[in-house]
Amino acid sequence: VIKDSGARGARRRRAPKGEGVKLREEILNAAERLLVQTGSEDSVSVRAIADEVGITPPSIYMHFDDKESLLNEVCERRFADLNAAFERAYGSEHEPVAALRALGRAYGEFALTHPDHYRILMMTTSSHAPSEYEDESSQGRRAFTQLVDAVRACIDSGAFPPSDPAATAVSLWAGVHGLVSLLITSPSFPWPASAHDMIENLLDSQLRGLLKNPADRPSRPLG
Amino acid sequence: VIKDSGARGARRRRAPKGEGVKLREEILNAAERLLVQTGSEDSVSVRAIADEVGITPPSIYMHFDDKESLLNEVCERRFADLNAAFERAYGSEHEPVAALRALGRAYGEFALTHPDHYRILMMTTSSHAPSEYEDESSQGRRAFTQLVDAVRACIDSGAFPPSDPAATAVSLWAGVHGLVSLLITSPSFPWPASAHDMIENLLDSQLRGLLKNPADRPSRPLG
DNA sequence: TGTACATCAGTGAACGCGCGTTCACTGATGTAC
DNA sequence: TGTACATCAGTGAACGCGCGTTCACTGATGTAC
C-alpha cells in the first residue's frame, strides 16, 4: 500500500524557530472550532483536535501540559470576549438604568451567539478552572464586577432604592442566565415568543421590580 | 485461586417467577444512587450500575433495551417528584400570588435538594428524551402547565395586569432556574447571601415587577 | 559559497483503560407426571 | 412424596472502540566553520 502524497498525507512543514506559537494558536482555534461544531466538550478529544489541525496527537503535548489546560485556555479566551462585549454595551448608554439594561442584552446576545461556549463556560462544573472565581483577576470575576458596578450606579443615581448591589446583580444575572440556558438546553420547548422578545420581556419585568418608582420606567407595551 | 463465598462472591439468588420487576426496580434505584453520588451522567456506566446492584452487566439488558432508555426512565421518575412537590406547594396557599410564590420556592427547593437530578433534567441537552416537551403528557410539560395556570390565576384575580401568561411564566421560570443552576454549577462563586435568601430576594423583585400595583405587595425588608 | 553538525518540532507506534453490547452458557426455580 | 424436565434470570468471556498519554525516533531548519 502506497500512501498518496496529496494534502492528506503530506507531512506538516516544521515550524521555523520562534514560530512555535503559531501552531499553539492553531491548536486553540481548532479546539474552539470543534467545540462549536460538536457542541459538547466530550467530543473534543485530543485526537480530534490534532486531526483538525493536521498534526498528530503527541504534537499537542509540545504546546500544552495536558488536555485540561488546553481547554482551560480556550475558555478564558471566550470570557475575555464577553468582557469586551460588556464594555461596548455599557459604554453605549449614559443613563444608568439604560446602561444596566444594555449589559443584560449584551449578555443574552453573547450567550445565544456562542451557545456552545456559553454552555461550557456557564453551564458545566468545569473541573478545568477550579479557581475561576477565586482568582480576583479572572475574566469571570471581572464580568461580574462590572455588573455590580452598573447596579451601584443605578442606586447612586436614585433610580433604585438602596440595597446590596451584589444581591441585586445576582438576581439580574440569574434571570438572563436562566432564560438563555433554558433556550440552549431545550430548543424544542414550545416557547411562547422569540428569544429576543423573551429577553426584553424579562428585562422589562425585572427592572420594573427593581425601580424605586416603577412609573418612571420607559414605557413598553406588555400585553 | 479460590473465590471466597462471602457476600461479594455470592451468586445472586435468581428471582422467582413474576419477581423480575423487583430487579428492574433495583437497577433504577442503583442508577439514581450513582447519579447522586457521582453527580455526573458520564460516570454512571452500565458496569457501575451492575456493580452497585450486585449483578453482572449483561443482566441489565434483560430489563432495559439499552443504557439510554434506562436513564430516560430515571429522569421521568424524578420529574414526577417535581410535579408532586408543585401540587403540595400550590395547594398550601389560597391567595393566587402567594400560591405562585410557593411554586417558585418549591421549584428552587427541589433543585437544591436534588442538584444532580436537576442538572440532568434541566441543565443538559438530554439526548435520551428528545421529545420530552413535544409529548403533551410528559411530566415536564405538566409542570410548566401548572406554572402557567398559576400565573393565569394571578391575572384573573386582578393582581397582575392582563398579559400572555405563558410569557410571564417563562420569565419566572428563567429567574429561579437561573439562580439555582448557577448555584449548582458554581458553588465556589462568592455569593452575597445564602441560597434561601437569594431565592426569596429574587422572587420579591420578580413578583413586584409583575404586580399591577406594587404597593399591594406583602412587605418584606430589602436593604 | 560549501559542508558538517546540533537542535528540536513533529511523528509513528504503542501503552493500558473503561466503555456499551453480544453471545453461548449455566443452573435454580417451578411444573408435569 | 419423588423424579424428569422445561424455563429463563443471570453469568462469564469476549467483541471492537476511542480515549489520554508515553516514548524513542526522524529529518528539516538554522548555525558554525
Side-chain angles (χ1 to χ4, degrees):
Chain A
V1 180
I2 295 173
K3 248 190 182 170
D4 80 313
S5 57
R8 275 270 150 225
R11 199 188 179 111
R12 188 189 171 77
R13 251 270 271 306
R14 179 194 163 181
K17 238 185 177 173
E19 297 200 5
V21 207
K22 264 192 192 161
L23 178 52
R24 191 190 153 83
E25 203 68 18
E26 270 186 68
I27 292 170
L28 286 168
N29 288 334
E32 183 148 337
R33 228 177 301 135
L34 283 174
L35 224 43
V36 172
Q37 274 166 25
T38 68
S40 158
E41 187 177 334
D42 293 335
S43 321
V44 181
S45 64
V46 172
R47 285 164 148 89
I49 297 169
D51 240 43
E52 178 79 9
V53 180
I55 55 176
T56 58
S59 299
I60 304 276
Y61 293 87
M62 300 220 56
H63 301 274
F64 300 92
D65 278 354
D66 48 26
K67 192 192 179 187
E68 193 177 309
S69 55
L70 197 175
L71 291 180
N72 197 2
E73 204 157 321
V74 171
C75 286
E76 268 289 304
R77 271 162 132 223
R78 269 298 158 188
F79 243 135
D81 288 357
L82 174 59
N83 275 311
F86 261 31
E87 261 152 52
R88 271 197 309 278
Y90 198 71
S92 74
E93 296 281 352
H94 288 102
E95 201 274 309
V97 178
L100 180 57
R101 191 187 186 105
L103 279 191
R105 224 186 321 244
Y107 188 92
E109 224 162 80
F110 174 83
L112 296 179
T113 310
H114 310 288
D116 305 296
H117 295 97
Y118 191 79
R119 176 161 43 222
I120 289 149
L121 283 175
M122 306 297 298
M123 298 166 66
T124 61
T125 307
S126 47
S127 54
H128 51 80
S131 56
E132 171 66 61
Y133 294 111
E134 284 152 28
D135 177 6
E136 289 270 341
S137 67
S138 78
Q139 298 284 349
R141 266 301 262 285
R142 267 189 61 205
F144 184 69
T145 302
Q146 173 136 23
L147 178 61
V148 174
D149 288 347
V151 171
R152 193 176 292 116
C154 291
I155 296 171
D156 290 348
S157 79
F160 290 3
S163 70
D164 176 6
T168 303
V170 165
S171 287
L172 285 168
W173 180 23
V176 183
H177 165 75
L179 183 51
V180 295
S181 65
L182 287 173
L183 284 166
I184 290 169
T185 307
S186 307
S188 72
F189 185 84
W191 299 107
S194 73
H196 175 266
D197 287 356
M198 287 191 292
I199 290 178
E200 292 299 328
N201 187 32
L202 173 74
L203 290 173
D204 269 344
S205 89
Q206 284 208 303
L207 291 175
R208 196 181 319 131
L210 293 171
L211 288 172
K212 190 187 270 177
N213 181 359
D216 286 350
R217 74 182 183 271
S219 63
R220 282 189 93 253
L222 265 182
Chain B
V1 178
I2 296 174
K3 247 190 183 171
D4 79 315
S5 58
R8 275 272 152 219
R11 200 192 178 107
R12 184 188 175 78
R13 251 274 265 310
R14 178 193 165 179
K17 238 186 180 176
E19 299 199 5
V21 206
K22 265 192 192 160
L23 179 52
R24 191 189 153 84
E25 204 69 19
E26 271 186 69
I27 292 170
L28 285 169
N29 288 336
E32 183 146 337
R33 228 177 302 134
L34 284 173
L35 224 40
V36 172
Q37 276 166 24
T38 69
S40 156
E41 187 178 335
D42 294 334
S43 322
V44 182
S45 64
V46 171
R47 285 166 148 91
I49 297 168
D51 239 44
E52 177 79 8
V53 180
I55 55 177
T56 57
S59 300
I60 305 275
Y61 293 86
M62 301 222 54
H63 302 274
F64 300 91
D65 280 353
D66 49 23
K67 193 193 178 187
E68 193 177 310
S69 55
L70 197 175
L71 291 181
N72 197 3
E73 205 157 320
V74 171
C75 286
E76 268 289 305
R77 272 162 130 219
R78 269 299 156 185
F79 243 136
D81 289 355
L82 174 59
N83 275 311
F86 260 31
E87 260 152 51
R88 273 197 308 280
Y90 198 71
S92 74
E93 297 282 352
H94 287 101
E95 201 274 309
V97 178
L100 179 57
R101 191 188 185 103
L103 279 192
R105 224 185 323 246
Y107 188 93
E109 225 163 78
F110 174 84
L112 295 179
T113 309
H114 311 288
D116 304 296
H117 294 98
Y118 191 79
R119 176 162 41 222
I120 290 149
L121 282 175
M122 306 297 296
M123 297 165 67
T124 60
T125 306
S126 46
S127 55
H128 51 82
S131 56
E132 173 65 62
Y133 294 109
E134 282 151 29
D135 177 6
E136 288 270 339
S137 67
S138 78
Q139 298 283 351
R141 266 299 264 283
R142 267 189 60 207
F144 184 70
T145 302
Q146 174 135 23
L147 177 61
V148 174
D149 288 346
V151 171
R152 192 177 290 115
C154 291
I155 295 171
D156 290 349
S157 79
F160 289 2
S163 68
D164 176 7
T168 302
V170 164
S171 287
L172 285 167
W173 179 22
V176 184
H177 165 75
L179 183 51
V180 296
S181 65
L182 287 172
L183 284 166
I184 291 169
T185 307
S186 306
S188 72
F189 184 85
W191 298 108
S194 73
H196 175 266
D197 287 354
M198 286 192 292
I199 290 177
E200 292 299 329
N201 187 34
L202 173 74
L203 290 173
D204 269 345
S205 89
Q206 285 208 303
L207 291 174
R208 195 180 320 129
L210 293 171
L211 287 173
K212 190 187 273 179
N213 181 358
D216 287 350
R217 73 178 184 272
S219 63
R220 282 188 94 250
L222 265 183

